[in-house]
Amino acid sequence: MTEAKLKVIDSHFHMWDPAVQNLPWLDGMKINRKYTFEDLKAEYEHVGVDFLGGVYVEVDCVDHEQEDRLVYDNGDPRILARMLRASLSPTMRVPLNATGIREPLHIDSEPRGRCLEPDFIGGLKALAAHGMPFELCCRGGELGDMAKAFGQVPEVTVIMDHLGNVTSLDSDSREALKAMARLPHSYIKVSGDNPVDPDIVKYVRDVFGPRKVLFSSNWPVVNEHSSFAKHFELMLKIFGEDEDFFMNNARKAYGIEL
């Protein structure tokens, strides 16, 4: 009898083609080349799991509408959700093929305090009213601001990228993570890039609990400083074959039906 494979939903992957898209942040990086969804499938074949599909997350390219079209044109059924780019406001334009929205708050062009602006808060309320999640990527030192902002709109689903970009468990980070975890519809991803600190992962797991922590590869960004295989191996070491972490929590957060 064949042993059942671990079922995995990757809650955070990218794909791009620098020959087609303008992606200035890739300049000088070794991942500055074309990556396709087929390449990601091959990574999962190598680690021997049942890859159900993944959540595409916007890539901070110059032409956001072009990105929307490229993602739309990729009809692979294993692209299970699409978190596309918009600037939050009550009157924001949202692509029809978007599952939810990410306005990246971690980039240099985003001023500190943007998440507390009335337009941003109004945009969160609009997302909540339409049942759409917000993908939160912020600078780690601003988690306290995020807790204040999202605490004003507890009804919105917020999914935090990359462990909140926390690099150390100082008192401010601990308290901000606790505040985000208390929100009724908050989730957090354990993403690959620089090898993650197991102590931070375990703290987040304990604070958010078993139903709010999501596996993500952050592929292909993970290959800049580590590798997909190393990150996946570390996640298995910390979480075992926990189907909530590897699949079920992503289904709930993004409303994925299989």
Side-chain angles (χ1 to χ4, degrees), residues 15-16 25 37-38 44 51 55 59 62 71 76 103 122 125 148 154 160 168 197 223 234 239 247 249:
M15 52 190 177
W16 57 64
W25 65 274
F37 195 57
E38 295 300 317
Y44 279 99
F51 176 50
V55 177
V59 297
V62 171
V71 177
D76 195 301
E103 178 181 338
K125 291 178 179 178
K148 292 176 184 176
M160 299 176 66
S168 66
D197 183 336
N223 293 328
L234 179 59
F239 290 92
M247 176 182 63
N249 295 343

Side-chain angles (χ1 to χ4, degrees), residues 2 66 99 125:
T2 303
Q66 177 202 40
T99 303
K125 291 178 179 178

Side-chain angles (χ1 to χ4, degrees), residues 58-83:
E58 65 88 27
V59 297
D60 192 24
C61 66
V62 171
D63 189 341
H64 307 147
E65 292 186 3
Q66 177 202 40
E67 179 181 17
D68 298 341
R69 291 193 299 271
L70 292 171
V71 177
Y72 177 82
D73 289 341
N74 189 322
D76 195 301
R78 282 196 271 184
I79 300 177
L80 303 175
R82 297 160 180 82
M83 303 302 286

